[in-house]
Amino acid sequence: MAIKVFITHASEDRALVKAFVDALEASIAISPEEIRCTSLPGYRLRTGNRVSDAVRAEIAGAAVVIGVLTPWSLEAGWILFE
């Protein structure tokens, strides 16, 4: 199943992002397989893929990319990459 929502965030914001994902799933018809959130179990990237390539492909194919901007994420270089 294709990723529809890609959520970029800092791993330190796991609790905030988990609450957001829970609200998203409760609000719209979307399955966990359609959400990519790299720090949450069940939403992480598949193993065996080169991370930068997998992230690039999933962002390009996602219907929505959401950036969770916090002090931690603003200091993480990969957030800007994503």
Side-chain angles (χ1 to χ4, degrees):
M1 191 168 286
I3 297 300
K4 290 185 179 177
V5 177
F6 190 101
I7 303 170
T8 182
H9 63 287
S11 60
E12 291 87 354
D13 294 318
R14 249 185 249 93
L16 171 65
V17 173
K18 175 65 173 137
F20 178 75
V21 168
D22 290 346
L24 185 65
E25 288 179 332
S27 309
I28 63 173
I30 191 166
S31 70
E33 295 81 20
E34 296 172 306
I35 300 171
R36 178 66 67 228
C37 188
T38 58
S39 72
L40 297 180
Y43 302 92
R44 293 182 176 153
L45 291 168
R46 293 184 189 145
T47 57
N49 293 322
R50 190 171 154 192
V51 173
S52 61
D53 291 342
V55 167
R56 186 177 289 117
E58 288 188 352
I59 287 174
V64 176
V65 176
I66 299 168
V68 178
L69 301 179
T70 66
W72 286 297
S73 66
L74 291 175
E75 295 202 13
W78 73 89
I79 301 293
L80 298 177
F81 163 76
E82 291 175 351

